[in-house]
Amino acid sequence: MTTTPGRPPVSAGRTRGFMAAMVVDALGSGVWITFSLLYFVYGRGMELTAAGSALSAGSLTALAAGGLAVGTLTDRLGPYRAAVLSCACRAVAFPCYLLADNMATVAVIAFTVSFGDRLYWAAHGGLVDSVTSAEHAQRSLFALLNSLRNVGLGVGALAVALASSLEGADAALWNAIPLVNAASFAVAGVLFRWVGRALAPARERTADRERHDSGGRRPSYRGVLANRGFLAFTGATLTLTLSSVAFDSILPVYLRSLDAPLWVPPAAYLLSCVAIPACQPLALRLGRRHAPLRLMALAAVLVAAAFGGLAALTLLGRAGAVAGVGVPVLVFSLGEAVFGAVAMTIVLAYATSHEAGRYSAFYQLAWGLSGALGPGVHTFLFSASGSAPWLVMGCALLVGAAVYLRLAGAATRTEDAPQGRKAEA
């Protein structure tokens, strides 16, 4: 772990504790995303549509009620206390799923879990920034965490693929899933608390110094909304987050519409979950040669190219589609790897330490809105034409890439550069 001038060195033990806490959160959240419906259908005996509606209702309510509030809460508590509270919410909520037997109960519990998730993501950038402010080290950490989250998604996808064999599993096995998740978040919360005792005071002194340098201005969302460069960056990133949702939600349906065998969609998804971590070293090498906003433009172009390749599968016939789907999946994975390694470093570059929670929470709205609106938008496009989601999103991504390049050019002028950490941006 890299230390930063002016900050106390991080002991090896607390470094391992920090990484263990982040690993537990990334893996636990990733596994549950793809495993949740399976649990309610086979473990709790609910109807698929009822379980999906309840989970969506809870998540959307948490987005509406807490999407921005978690940013204010994080800035007031500090990232470590916010992370501890986030873990506590989920550690308490997951065992309650064992008692859930109706949609309303599932929705309330899902709200608590989703609120904990949103609070963690608001604190996520500040946690990494408290350990190191060196841009290359931050990219390495964000890339690693992105890889771990995709490993978790891959494990969940394997579970879904094995659903038929698990259908007759004992209830104790299913009930162990939320209990293990709860225990893991409890451990992560204890680790965040332990590490935070050493790192939080130094970070608070940095935030106080930045607040003094800004003339004592109280942090608020007014400052976030006045930052036109950050708003443009977040708007452009919405094209990438919507594309990620399209890949996860429409690709299986699209491949089946091409008469691909049943094993092809899960194989393509698992290929991506493996390829994204494998592409991270290349993404980091690119990061040492190019400015962050130009890397975001590269990520958008790569994903657009991948979507163009997916749209072209309709021209290849059944055998050609099966043989050729791996190429666009790999290109998409490289784009996702670049995106995951650099996006949060840009968010931190726009924010000061005492506003990082608000900036992170606002940025995370792109993911929240994509998760809420994406499936509906993409299925509507798919109903018009199988290739429409890929072509429309490909064009949107190219527009997003143009915005990133314009921001990169404007960042050479001091007045348009990210204001939080100009020297590092």
Side-chain angles (χ1 to χ4, degrees), residues 5-388:
R7 301 189 186 188
V10 185
S11 69
R14 291 187 191 271
T15 295
R16 288 192 292 269
F18 175 84
M19 288 306 303
M22 300 291 267
V23 166
V24 167
D25 197 289
L27 288 174
S29 298
V31 169
W32 183 252
I33 287 173
T34 47
F35 208 83
S36 55
L37 284 176
L38 193 66
Y39 168 76
F40 288 111
V41 172
Y42 293 120
R44 303 301 301 162
M46 294 182 66
E47 293 290 333
L48 178 63
T49 54
S53 298
L55 289 172
S56 294
S59 298
L60 287 173
T61 304
L63 175 64
L68 294 178
V70 293
T72 302
L73 186 59
T74 297
D75 286 334
R76 289 179 178 176
L77 295 177
Y80 281 95
R81 290 176 181 171
V84 171
L85 179 58
S86 165
C87 291
C89 288
R90 291 174 288 181
V92 171
F94 271 110
C96 296
Y97 277 135
L98 273 63
L99 307 175
D101 57 1
N102 58 72
M103 290 179 62
T105 305
V106 171
V108 171
I109 300 170
F111 170 86
T112 306
V113 172
S114 183
F115 181 84
D117 285 338
R118 304 210 69 78
L119 184 57
Y120 168 78
W121 286 110
H124 182 238
L127 292 171
V128 172
D129 189 53
S130 71
V131 177
T132 177
S133 63
E135 188 177 299
H136 69 278
Q138 287 184 352
R139 286 184 187 178
S140 297
L141 271 176
F142 286 127
L144 174 61
L145 296 171
N146 185 52
S147 297
L148 290 169
R149 189 168 179 82
N150 278 281
V151 169
L153 290 169
V155 172
L158 280 174
V160 173
L162 296 172
S164 57
S165 63
L166 293 174
E167 186 174 358
D170 186 81
L173 175 62
W174 289 106
N175 290 337
I177 297 168
L179 291 177
V180 170
N181 234 18
S184 68
F185 283 119
V187 170
V190 170
L191 290 172
F192 279 131
R193 175 60 177 162
W194 178 58
V195 177
R197 285 178 177 174
L199 297 182
R203 190 180 189 281
E204 289 171 2
R205 288 193 295 271
T206 300
D208 289 340
R209 185 169 62 253
E210 290 177 347
R211 193 177 293 111
H212 179 269
D213 293 342
S214 66
R217 178 178 58 83
R218 294 177 62 86
S220 70
Y221 276 109
R222 182 177 299 176
V224 177
L225 296 175
N227 193 328
R228 290 179 295 178
F230 177 71
L231 294 182
F233 165 76
T234 304
T237 303
L238 188 63
T239 64
L240 279 164
T241 56
L242 277 169
S243 297
S244 293
V245 172
F247 185 84
D248 291 342
S249 60
I250 293 297
L251 182 61
V253 181
Y254 175 64
L255 292 175
R256 288 298 297 143
S257 73
L258 299 179
D259 200 28
L262 288 172
W263 59 266
V264 173
Y269 188 58
L270 285 172
L271 174 62
S272 177
C273 290
V274 172
I276 290 175
C279 289
Q280 294 294 2
L282 175 57
L284 292 174
R285 284 198 296 272
L286 290 171
R288 288 192 288 269
R289 301 175 184 174
H290 304 284
L293 286 165
R294 295 189 184 280
L295 284 177
M296 289 293 290
L298 174 62
V301 170
L302 285 170
V303 177
F307 281 10
L310 288 174
L313 293 181
T314 58
L315 307 176
L316 303 180
R318 181 176 186 269
V322 172
V325 69
V327 174
V329 167
L330 290 174
V331 175
F332 170 85
S333 301
L334 178 57
E336 282 281 293
V338 174
F339 172 36
V342 74
M344 277 303 301
T345 66
I346 298 175
V347 175
L348 291 177
Y350 278 109
T352 54
S353 294
H354 63 289
E355 295 177 314
R358 287 176 171 84
Y359 273 84
S360 295
F362 190 90
Y363 167 77
Q364 291 297 332
L365 286 180
W367 282 105
L369 290 172
S370 296
L373 302 177
V377 171
H378 299 320
T379 51
F380 172 77
L381 292 172
F382 184 79
S383 66
S385 168
S387 59

